[in-house]
Amino acid sequence: MTNKIENSVSTNLKNDTNTFIYDYIIVGGGSAGCVLARRLSDCENITVLLIEAGADDNGLDRIQRPLRWLENIGSPQDYLYRYQPNPILNNREIYAPRGKVLGGSGSINAMVWARGNQNDYDSWAEAGNTGWDYESILPLFRKIEDWDNGENSIHGKDGPIRVERPEKLHVIDAAAVKAGISYGMPYMEDSNIPAPEGVGLMSMNIGHGRRSSPFEGYLKPIIDKPNLNILTDAKVLKLNIDNGVCTGLIYRKDDKEVTVAAKTEVVLSAGTFETPRILMLSGVGDAVELKNLGIDLKVNLPGVGKNLQDHPLISLTFQLNQPLADLTYNLGGINYYWKSSPDLIKPDLMLIPIQYPILTQELAAKYEVPDNAFSVFVTLIDIKSKGYMKLTSSLPDAPLEIEPNLLKDPADFQAMVKAVELCMDLTQEPDLNKIIKSWVAPDRRLKEGHLAEFIRNGCSTYFHPVGTCAMGKGPDAVVNNRLKVIGVQKLSIADASVMPQITTSNTNAPTIMIAEFAAEVLLGTR
Ligand SMILES: Cc1cc2nc3c(=O)[nH]c(=O)nc-3n(C[C@H](O)[C@H](O)[C@H](O)COP(=O)(O)OP(=O)(O)OC[C@H]3O[C@@H](n4cnc5c(N)ncnc54)[C@H](O)[C@@H]3O)c2cc1C
């Protein structure tokens, strides 16, 4: 398989200035980039170059085997980003993993397959992004999926991503479902219905016990196509923009800088932190910020790097009354979607029991964690807080300043308190209560000041940064509703950075949908 992942581009693809030239160049081979490379190179008469900063995954078992996904965090396939110390969270530095490998974060993530609420997309459209309402994008979700129960009005079959629900629940998950029902929640066989609410089976992009990722499902089957070249270990440094037209780019591989040209389009799919970095290094961004960094301005787009959003997560940990035997799937199997207040139009809380203890360093230092402990991921999925990412220098490898402002808006902090209270209430329901031997972190039910302090020391990221090159119409928009960069011709963005508002779900399925949308626009079928 890897023989197609080349160290150099084909020499027959040069133009008259002796520059390598392709119809399309895709920057970043992550969740979105793999989809675009597939859809574009499916047209035999189109030449495509995919440039990825990370290496081939070489069939790494911890990438392919769902139970091992946590081991990828902090591995050589992780960028190891840090969020700025945030006073709301006791100035702790929060560690934000992102995939640095062919397959990107889609190859290191937890494989929860969640599309979000129909209202998420209808809100995008209502904000001026015509064509992004739920009804318009539903066919794309159906096209992506190979759903475990075949085709129906919302699911597809034979798509590149296998989506399965658990056949058998782990003892923790079985008890958690019963606890949700006795608490008063509706039961969902399918958590990807248009408006999920209640407790239900988790959908996972897992096929026959293996990760079903954009790399495995979209790219790997066509890796040998003659019209597709894939460069790995190659970092794009800068776009070439002449008179408002993106003509190509410069990448670095093996310490050499190489220019490639694009006849039709360059598509940025380098993810929420690196797509805006590439734009800014190329002179597209906030005029004042770029001037301060000594970068020549090409287009003043103040929204580049703004609007950063991420879901906050805190885990509560409990000791099971038996060994944590026979771990299953991605260490999960069910999820709760619930509202912190009944008058909300959609659930703002998501809880997932995890068959493993996961604590921040601060909580791990405070509480003793027994071997048979498990955690519940408690997350806020509808957020008001927004932040930014900034360059700290004009050098392409300089650290980024990343500040999502997790829980900064008081409404978010209050909702997180409600989320933790919900988790504590669920553990009091008879079916969960009877399998819990003791509380670990926290070691007892907390209230008010103690609960707030627990959140300040325990809150981190649910791994979903989005929004730094938002689609829209206003002065902070970076792309339009066709994903074209405003003010630059022949340049599009397709990745999680274009989300104007984060979905109330995990973000991989929405990102893959965005890439499918972009491919259809570029191929003229949407
Ligand atoms: C640990 C973890 C767990 C997660 N769990 C889930 C989950 O269970 N479910 C879910 O839905 N979502 C989950 N997510 C989030 C989800 O994986 C991401 O939202 C999604 O993969 C983002 O896709 P993307 O294409 O925007 O970026 P990425 O998939 O991150 O791809 C960006 C790619 O661009 C490459 N790149 C960056 N800069 C350059 C450059 N200069 N030149 C060339 N290449 C470059 C990167 O190496 C990377 O491969 C998780 C994420 C992480 C990190």
Side-chain angles (χ1 to χ4, degrees), residues 28 30-32 51-53 79 97-99 101 104-106 109-112 234-236 269-271 274 278 463 495-496 506-508 511:
S31 289
I51 307 180
E52 165 55 40
Y79 276 98
R98 295 280 92 194
V101 61
S105 303
N109 71 15
M111 292 153 283
V112 179
K235 177 168 174 161
V236 171
S269 297
E274 298 299 334
I278 295 167
F463 319 124
D495 60 24
N506 314 70
T507 46
N508 197 35
T511 303

PDB file of all heavy atoms in Angstrom, residues 28 30-32 51-53 79 97-99 101 104-106 109-112 234-236 269-271 274 278 463 495-496 506-508 511, ligand 1:
ATOM      1  N   GLY A  28      -3.109  18.969   3.642  1.00  0.00           N
ATOM      2  CA  GLY A  28      -3.521  18.264   4.855  1.00  0.00           C
ATOM      3  C   GLY A  28      -4.331  17.024   4.523  1.00  0.00           C
ATOM      4  O   GLY A  28      -5.386  17.110   3.904  1.00  0.00           O
ATOM      5  N   GLY A  30      -6.005  14.940   6.527  1.00  0.00           N
ATOM      6  CA  GLY A  30      -6.747  14.506   7.707  1.00  0.00           C
ATOM      7  C   GLY A  30      -8.144  14.064   7.332  1.00  0.00           C
ATOM      8  O   GLY A  30      -8.391  13.617   6.205  1.00  0.00           O
ATOM      9  N   SER A  31      -9.069  14.221   8.286  1.00  0.00           N
ATOM     10  CA  SER A  31     -10.452  13.769   8.036  1.00  0.00           C
ATOM     11  C   SER A  31     -10.978  14.345   6.734  1.00  0.00           C
ATOM     12  O   SER A  31     -11.471  13.621   5.864  1.00  0.00           O
ATOM     13  CB  SER A  31     -11.373  14.207   9.182  1.00  0.00           C
ATOM     14  OG  SER A  31     -11.100  13.473  10.341  1.00  0.00           O
ATOM     15  N   ALA A  32     -10.874  15.665   6.581  1.00  0.00           N
ATOM     16  CA  ALA A  32     -11.425  16.301   5.385  1.00  0.00           C
ATOM     17  C   ALA A  32     -10.556  16.047   4.153  1.00  0.00           C
ATOM     18  O   ALA A  32     -11.071  15.756   3.067  1.00  0.00           O
ATOM     19  CB  ALA A  32     -11.569  17.801   5.627  1.00  0.00           C
ATOM     20  N   ILE A  51      -0.892  16.865   0.152  1.00  0.00           N
ATOM     21  CA  ILE A  51       0.346  17.098   0.917  1.00  0.00           C
ATOM     22  C   ILE A  51       0.036  16.967   2.407  1.00  0.00           C
ATOM     23  O   ILE A  51      -0.822  17.694   2.934  1.00  0.00           O
ATOM     24  CB  ILE A  51       0.930  18.503   0.650  1.00  0.00           C
ATOM     25  CG1 ILE A  51       1.088  18.727  -0.851  1.00  0.00           C
ATOM     26  CG2 ILE A  51       2.253  18.675   1.372  1.00  0.00           C
ATOM     27  CD1 ILE A  51       1.658  20.109  -1.210  1.00  0.00           C
ATOM     28  N   GLU A  52       0.718  16.068   3.081  1.00  0.00           N
ATOM     29  CA  GLU A  52       0.451  15.821   4.500  1.00  0.00           C
ATOM     30  C   GLU A  52       1.737  15.987   5.313  1.00  0.00           C
ATOM     31  O   GLU A  52       2.780  15.429   4.973  1.00  0.00           O
ATOM     32  CB  GLU A  52      -0.122  14.400   4.671  1.00  0.00           C
ATOM     33  CG  GLU A  52      -0.139  13.845   6.079  1.00  0.00           C
ATOM     34  CD  GLU A  52      -0.861  14.731   7.118  1.00  0.00           C
ATOM     35  OE1 GLU A  52      -1.905  15.311   6.800  1.00  0.00           O
ATOM     36  OE2 GLU A  52      -0.321  14.842   8.248  1.00  0.00           O
ATOM     37  N   ALA A  53       1.629  16.732   6.408  1.00  0.00           N
ATOM     38  CA  ALA A  53       2.807  16.990   7.249  1.00  0.00           C
ATOM     39  C   ALA A  53       3.251  15.747   8.024  1.00  0.00           C
ATOM     40  O   ALA A  53       4.437  15.590   8.325  1.00  0.00           O
ATOM     41  CB  ALA A  53       2.491  18.126   8.230  1.00  0.00           C
ATOM     42  N   TYR A  79       0.170  16.291  17.658  1.00  0.00           N
ATOM     43  CA  TYR A  79       0.876  17.584  17.596  1.00  0.00           C
ATOM     44  C   TYR A  79       1.204  18.181  18.964  1.00  0.00           C
ATOM     45  O   TYR A  79       2.007  19.109  19.053  1.00  0.00           O
ATOM     46  CB  TYR A  79       0.024  18.618  16.848  1.00  0.00           C
ATOM     47  CG  TYR A  79       0.167  18.557  15.343  1.00  0.00           C
ATOM     48  CD1 TYR A  79      -0.759  17.885  14.564  1.00  0.00           C
ATOM     49  CD2 TYR A  79       1.226  19.194  14.709  1.00  0.00           C
ATOM     50  CE1 TYR A  79      -0.646  17.840  13.190  1.00  0.00           C
ATOM     51  CE2 TYR A  79       1.355  19.161  13.336  1.00  0.00           C
ATOM     52  CZ  TYR A  79       0.420  18.476  12.575  1.00  0.00           C
ATOM     53  OH  TYR A  79       0.536  18.441  11.215  1.00  0.00           O
ATOM     54  N   PRO A  97      -4.791  17.475  21.918  1.00  0.00           N
ATOM     55  CA  PRO A  97      -4.228  16.592  20.892  1.00  0.00           C
ATOM     56  C   PRO A  97      -4.819  16.864  19.509  1.00  0.00           C
ATOM     57  O   PRO A  97      -5.979  17.251  19.395  1.00  0.00           O
ATOM     58  CB  PRO A  97      -4.626  15.188  21.374  1.00  0.00           C
ATOM     59  CG  PRO A  97      -5.778  15.364  22.291  1.00  0.00           C
ATOM     60  CD  PRO A  97      -5.718  16.765  22.822  1.00  0.00           C
ATOM     61  N   ARG A  98      -4.044  16.624  18.468  1.00  0.00           N
ATOM     62  CA  ARG A  98      -4.457  16.701  17.050  1.00  0.00           C
ATOM     63  C   ARG A  98      -3.592  15.710  16.281  1.00  0.00           C
ATOM     64  O   ARG A  98      -2.395  15.584  16.555  1.00  0.00           O
ATOM     65  CB  ARG A  98      -4.185  18.089  16.440  1.00  0.00           C
ATOM     66  CG  ARG A  98      -4.944  19.259  16.991  1.00  0.00           C
ATOM     67  CD  ARG A  98      -6.349  19.380  16.451  1.00  0.00           C
ATOM     68  NE  ARG A  98      -7.283  18.694  17.285  1.00  0.00           N
ATOM     69  CZ  ARG A  98      -8.529  18.389  16.951  1.00  0.00           C
ATOM     70  NH1 ARG A  98      -8.988  18.687  15.774  1.00  0.00           N
ATOM     71  NH2 ARG A  98      -9.318  17.765  17.794  1.00  0.00           N
ATOM     72  N   GLY A  99      -4.185  15.071  15.313  1.00  0.00           N
ATOM     73  CA  GLY A  99      -3.458  14.013  14.601  1.00  0.00           C
ATOM     74  C   GLY A  99      -2.429  14.533  13.627  1.00  0.00           C
ATOM     75  O   GLY A  99      -2.741  15.342  12.760  1.00  0.00           O
ATOM     76  N   VAL A 101      -0.515  12.698  11.141  1.00  0.00           N
ATOM     77  CA  VAL A 101      -0.346  11.409  10.458  1.00  0.00           C
ATOM     78  C   VAL A 101      -1.261  11.454   9.234  1.00  0.00           C
ATOM     79  O   VAL A 101      -2.228  12.220   9.226  1.00  0.00           O
ATOM     80  CB  VAL A 101      -0.751  10.254  11.429  1.00  0.00           C
ATOM     81  CG1 VAL A 101      -2.201  10.354  11.875  1.00  0.00           C
ATOM     82  CG2 VAL A 101      -0.451   8.882  10.846  1.00  0.00           C
ATOM     83  N   GLY A 104      -4.858  12.195   9.783  1.00  0.00           N
ATOM     84  CA  GLY A 104      -5.084  13.315  10.698  1.00  0.00           C
ATOM     85  C   GLY A 104      -5.761  12.908  11.996  1.00  0.00           C
ATOM     86  O   GLY A 104      -5.585  11.785  12.485  1.00  0.00           O
ATOM     87  N   SER A 105      -6.523  13.838  12.565  1.00  0.00           N
ATOM     88  CA  SER A 105      -7.205  13.552  13.827  1.00  0.00           C
ATOM     89  C   SER A 105      -8.218  12.426  13.637  1.00  0.00           C
ATOM     90  O   SER A 105      -8.536  11.710  14.593  1.00  0.00           O
ATOM     91  CB  SER A 105      -7.910  14.812  14.345  1.00  0.00           C
ATOM     92  OG  SER A 105      -6.969  15.854  14.495  1.00  0.00           O
ATOM     93  N   GLY A 106      -8.687  12.254  12.412  1.00  0.00           N
ATOM     94  CA  GLY A 106      -9.613  11.149  12.134  1.00  0.00           C
ATOM     95  C   GLY A 106      -8.985   9.784  12.341  1.00  0.00           C
ATOM     96  O   GLY A 106      -9.693   8.769  12.411  1.00  0.00           O
ATOM     97  N   ASN A 109      -8.721   9.655  16.712  1.00  0.00           N
ATOM     98  CA  ASN A 109      -9.838  10.063  17.574  1.00  0.00           C
ATOM     99  C   ASN A 109     -10.545   8.869  18.199  1.00  0.00           C
ATOM    100  O   ASN A 109     -10.141   7.711  18.028  1.00  0.00           O
ATOM    101  CB  ASN A 109     -10.785  11.004  16.809  1.00  0.00           C
ATOM    102  CG  ASN A 109     -11.587  10.299  15.744  1.00  0.00           C
ATOM    103  OD1 ASN A 109     -11.675   9.073  15.711  1.00  0.00           O
ATOM    104  ND2 ASN A 109     -12.180  11.067  14.863  1.00  0.00           N
ATOM    105  N   ALA A 110     -11.617   9.176  18.929  1.00  0.00           N
ATOM    106  CA  ALA A 110     -12.283   8.140  19.744  1.00  0.00           C
ATOM    107  C   ALA A 110     -13.401   7.407  19.000  1.00  0.00           C
ATOM    108  O   ALA A 110     -14.063   6.546  19.583  1.00  0.00           O
ATOM    109  CB  ALA A 110     -12.836   8.778  21.017  1.00  0.00           C
ATOM    110  N   MET A 111     -13.615   7.777  17.731  1.00  0.00           N
ATOM    111  CA  MET A 111     -14.554   7.052  16.869  1.00  0.00           C
ATOM    112  C   MET A 111     -16.026   7.154  17.275  1.00  0.00           C
ATOM    113  O   MET A 111     -16.827   6.293  16.906  1.00  0.00           O
ATOM    114  CB  MET A 111     -14.145   5.568  16.751  1.00  0.00           C
ATOM    115  CG  MET A 111     -12.863   5.373  16.008  1.00  0.00           C
ATOM    116  SD  MET A 111     -11.962   3.880  16.487  1.00  0.00           S
ATOM    117  CE  MET A 111     -11.239   4.390  18.046  1.00  0.00           C
ATOM    118  N   VAL A 112     -16.373   8.174  18.056  1.00  0.00           N
ATOM    119  CA  VAL A 112     -17.801   8.426  18.311  1.00  0.00           C
ATOM    120  C   VAL A 112     -18.360   9.046  17.029  1.00  0.00           C
ATOM    121  O   VAL A 112     -17.813  10.046  16.542  1.00  0.00           O
ATOM    122  CB  VAL A 112     -18.014   9.410  19.483  1.00  0.00           C
ATOM    123  CG1 VAL A 112     -19.505   9.658  19.697  1.00  0.00           C
ATOM    124  CG2 VAL A 112     -17.344   8.887  20.746  1.00  0.00           C
ATOM    125  N   ALA A 234       5.649  16.237   4.579  1.00  0.00           N
ATOM    126  CA  ALA A 234       5.866  17.472   3.809  1.00  0.00           C
ATOM    127  C   ALA A 234       4.974  18.564   4.385  1.00  0.00           C
ATOM    128  O   ALA A 234       3.758  18.395   4.428  1.00  0.00           O
ATOM    129  CB  ALA A 234       5.531  17.244   2.334  1.00  0.00           C
ATOM    130  N   LYS A 235       5.583  19.632   4.826  1.00  0.00           N
ATOM    131  CA  LYS A 235       4.803  20.689   5.486  1.00  0.00           C
ATOM    132  C   LYS A 235       4.611  21.874   4.550  1.00  0.00           C
ATOM    133  O   LYS A 235       5.597  22.426   4.046  1.00  0.00           O
ATOM    134  CB  LYS A 235       5.536  21.124   6.764  1.00  0.00           C
ATOM    135  CG  LYS A 235       4.833  22.267   7.477  1.00  0.00           C
ATOM    136  CD  LYS A 235       5.378  22.494   8.866  1.00  0.00           C
ATOM    137  CE  LYS A 235       4.752  23.735   9.464  1.00  0.00           C
ATOM    138  NZ  LYS A 235       4.856  23.820  10.900  1.00  0.00           N
ATOM    139  N   VAL A 236       3.364  22.264   4.339  1.00  0.00           N
ATOM    140  CA  VAL A 236       3.100  23.457   3.530  1.00  0.00           C
ATOM    141  C   VAL A 236       3.427  24.688   4.367  1.00  0.00           C
ATOM    142  O   VAL A 236       2.982  24.837   5.505  1.00  0.00           O
ATOM    143  CB  VAL A 236       1.630  23.478   3.058  1.00  0.00           C
ATOM    144  CG1 VAL A 236       1.284  24.806   2.398  1.00  0.00           C
ATOM    145  CG2 VAL A 236       1.392  22.314   2.099  1.00  0.00           C
ATOM    146  N   SER A 269      -7.031  22.010   4.004  1.00  0.00           N
ATOM    147  CA  SER A 269      -7.690  21.051   4.908  1.00  0.00           C
ATOM    148  C   SER A 269      -6.709  20.700   6.014  1.00  0.00           C
ATOM    149  O   SER A 269      -6.579  19.535   6.407  1.00  0.00           O
ATOM    150  CB  SER A 269      -8.097  19.788   4.140  1.00  0.00           C
ATOM    151  OG  SER A 269      -9.040  20.075   3.150  1.00  0.00           O
ATOM    152  N   ALA A 270      -6.006  21.712   6.516  1.00  0.00           N
ATOM    153  CA  ALA A 270      -4.949  21.457   7.501  1.00  0.00           C
ATOM    154  C   ALA A 270      -5.471  21.533   8.939  1.00  0.00           C
ATOM    155  O   ALA A 270      -4.706  21.443   9.888  1.00  0.00           O
ATOM    156  CB  ALA A 270      -3.798  22.435   7.285  1.00  0.00           C
ATOM    157  N   GLY A 271      -6.791  21.712   9.100  1.00  0.00           N
ATOM    158  CA  GLY A 271      -7.393  21.668  10.429  1.00  0.00           C
ATOM    159  C   GLY A 271      -7.492  23.037  11.080  1.00  0.00           C
ATOM    160  O   GLY A 271      -6.999  24.053  10.579  1.00  0.00           O
ATOM    161  N   GLU A 274      -3.945  24.787  11.915  1.00  0.00           N
ATOM    162  CA  GLU A 274      -2.933  24.985  10.864  1.00  0.00           C
ATOM    163  C   GLU A 274      -3.488  25.662   9.607  1.00  0.00           C
ATOM    164  O   GLU A 274      -2.750  26.347   8.910  1.00  0.00           O
ATOM    165  CB  GLU A 274      -2.252  23.657  10.522  1.00  0.00           C
ATOM    166  CG  GLU A 274      -1.497  23.034  11.699  1.00  0.00           C
ATOM    167  CD  GLU A 274      -0.350  23.906  12.236  1.00  0.00           C
ATOM    168  OE1 GLU A 274       0.205  24.714  11.477  1.00  0.00           O
ATOM    169  OE2 GLU A 274      -0.039  23.796  13.448  1.00  0.00           O
ATOM    170  N   ILE A 278      -1.529  28.853   7.966  1.00  0.00           N
ATOM    171  CA  ILE A 278      -1.047  28.948   6.579  1.00  0.00           C
ATOM    172  C   ILE A 278      -1.582  30.224   5.923  1.00  0.00           C
ATOM    173  O   ILE A 278      -0.858  30.936   5.218  1.00  0.00           O
ATOM    174  CB  ILE A 278      -1.454  27.688   5.775  1.00  0.00           C
ATOM    175  CG1 ILE A 278      -0.742  26.449   6.342  1.00  0.00           C
ATOM    176  CG2 ILE A 278      -1.142  27.857   4.289  1.00  0.00           C
ATOM    177  CD1 ILE A 278      -1.293  25.125   5.848  1.00  0.00           C
ATOM    178  N   PHE A 463     -11.741  17.652  22.730  1.00  0.00           N
ATOM    179  CA  PHE A 463     -10.949  17.454  21.492  1.00  0.00           C
ATOM    180  C   PHE A 463     -11.660  17.975  20.235  1.00  0.00           C
ATOM    181  O   PHE A 463     -11.462  17.431  19.159  1.00  0.00           O
ATOM    182  CB  PHE A 463     -10.621  15.972  21.258  1.00  0.00           C
ATOM    183  CG  PHE A 463     -10.230  15.189  22.471  1.00  0.00           C
ATOM    184  CD1 PHE A 463     -10.919  14.030  22.831  1.00  0.00           C
ATOM    185  CD2 PHE A 463      -9.153  15.563  23.252  1.00  0.00           C
ATOM    186  CE1 PHE A 463     -10.551  13.285  23.943  1.00  0.00           C
ATOM    187  CE2 PHE A 463      -8.769  14.826  24.358  1.00  0.00           C
ATOM    188  CZ  PHE A 463      -9.483  13.684  24.710  1.00  0.00           C
ATOM    189  N   ASP A 495     -12.468  22.003   6.102  1.00  0.00           N
ATOM    190  CA  ASP A 495     -12.094  21.276   7.325  1.00  0.00           C
ATOM    191  C   ASP A 495     -12.918  21.846   8.473  1.00  0.00           C
ATOM    192  O   ASP A 495     -13.826  22.664   8.258  1.00  0.00           O
ATOM    193  CB  ASP A 495     -10.574  21.327   7.600  1.00  0.00           C
ATOM    194  CG  ASP A 495     -10.036  22.739   7.770  1.00  0.00           C
ATOM    195  OD1 ASP A 495     -10.818  23.629   8.129  1.00  0.00           O
ATOM    196  OD2 ASP A 495      -8.821  22.944   7.558  1.00  0.00           O
ATOM    197  N   ALA A 496     -12.589  21.430   9.710  1.00  0.00           N
ATOM    198  CA  ALA A 496     -13.408  21.848  10.852  1.00  0.00           C
ATOM    199  C   ALA A 496     -13.325  23.352  11.108  1.00  0.00           C
ATOM    200  O   ALA A 496     -14.153  23.909  11.833  1.00  0.00           O
ATOM    201  CB  ALA A 496     -12.961  21.085  12.099  1.00  0.00           C
ATOM    202  N   ASN A 506     -19.894  15.483  18.609  1.00  0.00           N
ATOM    203  CA  ASN A 506     -18.493  15.349  18.228  1.00  0.00           C
ATOM    204  C   ASN A 506     -18.367  15.888  16.799  1.00  0.00           C
ATOM    205  O   ASN A 506     -19.362  16.022  16.086  1.00  0.00           O
ATOM    206  CB  ASN A 506     -18.082  13.883  18.315  1.00  0.00           C
ATOM    207  CG  ASN A 506     -18.574  13.254  19.601  1.00  0.00           C
ATOM    208  OD1 ASN A 506     -19.777  13.057  19.764  1.00  0.00           O
ATOM    209  ND2 ASN A 506     -17.685  12.977  20.515  1.00  0.00           N
ATOM    210  N   THR A 507     -17.159  16.147  16.368  1.00  0.00           N
ATOM    211  CA  THR A 507     -17.013  16.967  15.152  1.00  0.00           C
ATOM    212  C   THR A 507     -16.459  16.236  13.922  1.00  0.00           C
ATOM    213  O   THR A 507     -16.298  16.853  12.874  1.00  0.00           O
ATOM    214  CB  THR A 507     -16.103  18.179  15.474  1.00  0.00           C
ATOM    215  OG1 THR A 507     -14.958  17.708  16.194  1.00  0.00           O
ATOM    216  CG2 THR A 507     -16.840  19.202  16.314  1.00  0.00           C
ATOM    217  N   ASN A 508     -16.185  14.948  14.036  1.00  0.00           N
ATOM    218  CA  ASN A 508     -15.609  14.260  12.885  1.00  0.00           C
ATOM    219  C   ASN A 508     -16.631  14.078  11.759  1.00  0.00           C
ATOM    220  O   ASN A 508     -16.358  14.439  10.605  1.00  0.00           O
ATOM    221  CB  ASN A 508     -15.065  12.889  13.332  1.00  0.00           C
ATOM    222  CG  ASN A 508     -14.100  12.286  12.336  1.00  0.00           C
ATOM    223  OD1 ASN A 508     -13.341  12.996  11.689  1.00  0.00           O
ATOM    224  ND2 ASN A 508     -14.132  10.972  12.206  1.00  0.00           N
ATOM    225  N   THR A 511     -17.286  17.247   9.985  1.00  0.00           N
ATOM    226  CA  THR A 511     -16.154  17.676   9.155  1.00  0.00           C
ATOM    227  C   THR A 511     -16.114  16.884   7.847  1.00  0.00           C
ATOM    228  O   THR A 511     -15.845  17.445   6.766  1.00  0.00           O
ATOM    229  CB  THR A 511     -14.830  17.475   9.928  1.00  0.00           C
ATOM    230  OG1 THR A 511     -14.900  18.212  11.153  1.00  0.00           O
ATOM    231  CG2 THR A 511     -13.639  17.946   9.125  1.00  0.00           C
TER     232      THR A 511
HETATM  233  C1  LIG B   1      -7.939  12.598  20.647  1.00  0.00           C
HETATM  234  C2  LIG B   1      -9.107  13.018  19.800  1.00  0.00           C
HETATM  235  C3  LIG B   1     -10.341  12.387  19.997  1.00  0.00           C
HETATM  236  C4  LIG B   1     -11.432  12.773  19.230  1.00  0.00           C
HETATM  237  N1  LIG B   1     -12.574  12.039  19.309  1.00  0.00           N
HETATM  238  C5  LIG B   1     -13.578  12.263  18.422  1.00  0.00           C
HETATM  239  C6  LIG B   1     -14.680  11.372  18.340  1.00  0.00           C
HETATM  240  O1  LIG B   1     -14.746  10.360  19.036  1.00  0.00           O
HETATM  241  N2  LIG B   1     -15.656  11.656  17.448  1.00  0.00           N
HETATM  242  C7  LIG B   1     -15.615  12.762  16.649  1.00  0.00           C
HETATM  243  O2  LIG B   1     -16.558  12.988  15.902  1.00  0.00           O
HETATM  244  N3  LIG B   1     -14.561  13.605  16.694  1.00  0.00           N
HETATM  245  C8  LIG B   1     -13.538  13.358  17.523  1.00  0.00           C
HETATM  246  N4  LIG B   1     -12.431  14.155  17.510  1.00  0.00           N
HETATM  247  C9  LIG B   1     -12.433  15.351  16.626  1.00  0.00           C
HETATM  248  C10 LIG B   1     -12.280  14.989  15.143  1.00  0.00           C
HETATM  249  O3  LIG B   1     -11.346  13.951  14.976  1.00  0.00           O
HETATM  250  C11 LIG B   1     -11.855  16.251  14.384  1.00  0.00           C
HETATM  251  O4  LIG B   1     -12.879  17.228  14.529  1.00  0.00           O
HETATM  252  C12 LIG B   1     -11.645  16.024  12.887  1.00  0.00           C
HETATM  253  O5  LIG B   1     -10.791  14.935  12.666  1.00  0.00           O
HETATM  254  C13 LIG B   1     -11.071  17.294  12.264  1.00  0.00           C
HETATM  255  O6  LIG B   1     -10.763  17.055  10.920  1.00  0.00           O
HETATM  256  P1  LIG B   1      -9.922  18.091  10.054  1.00  0.00           P
HETATM  257  O7  LIG B   1      -9.879  17.540   8.690  1.00  0.00           O
HETATM  258  O8  LIG B   1     -10.464  19.437  10.278  1.00  0.00           O
HETATM  259  O9  LIG B   1      -8.469  18.102  10.720  1.00  0.00           O
HETATM  260  P2  LIG B   1      -7.443  16.923  10.916  1.00  0.00           P
HETATM  261  O10 LIG B   1      -8.115  15.596  10.810  1.00  0.00           O
HETATM  262  O11 LIG B   1      -6.717  17.207  12.175  1.00  0.00           O
HETATM  263  O12 LIG B   1      -6.478  17.037   9.668  1.00  0.00           O
HETATM  264  C14 LIG B   1      -5.555  18.065   9.454  1.00  0.00           C
HETATM  265  C15 LIG B   1      -4.360  17.446   8.736  1.00  0.00           C
HETATM  266  O13 LIG B   1      -3.572  18.465   8.168  1.00  0.00           O
HETATM  267  C16 LIG B   1      -2.212  18.152   8.366  1.00  0.00           C
HETATM  268  N5  LIG B   1      -1.471  19.404   8.334  1.00  0.00           N
HETATM  269  C17 LIG B   1      -1.487  20.393   9.248  1.00  0.00           C
HETATM  270  N6  LIG B   1      -0.675  21.400   8.867  1.00  0.00           N
HETATM  271  C18 LIG B   1      -0.141  21.043   7.684  1.00  0.00           C
HETATM  272  C19 LIG B   1       0.777  21.676   6.803  1.00  0.00           C
HETATM  273  N7  LIG B   1       1.291  22.896   7.054  1.00  0.00           N
HETATM  274  N8  LIG B   1       1.144  21.008   5.683  1.00  0.00           N
HETATM  275  C20 LIG B   1       0.623  19.783   5.403  1.00  0.00           C
HETATM  276  N9  LIG B   1      -0.250  19.146   6.221  1.00  0.00           N
HETATM  277  C21 LIG B   1      -0.622  19.774   7.337  1.00  0.00           C
HETATM  278  C22 LIG B   1      -2.201  17.477   9.719  1.00  0.00           C
HETATM  279  O14 LIG B   1      -1.027  16.724   9.919  1.00  0.00           O
HETATM  280  C23 LIG B   1      -3.468  16.645   9.669  1.00  0.00           C
HETATM  281  O15 LIG B   1      -3.242  15.372   9.115  1.00  0.00           O
HETATM  282  C24 LIG B   1     -11.315  13.825  18.276  1.00  0.00           C
HETATM  283  C25 LIG B   1     -10.082  14.446  18.085  1.00  0.00           C
HETATM  284  C26 LIG B   1      -8.977  14.043  18.830  1.00  0.00           C
HETATM  285  C27 LIG B   1      -7.657  14.707  18.582  1.00  0.00           C
END
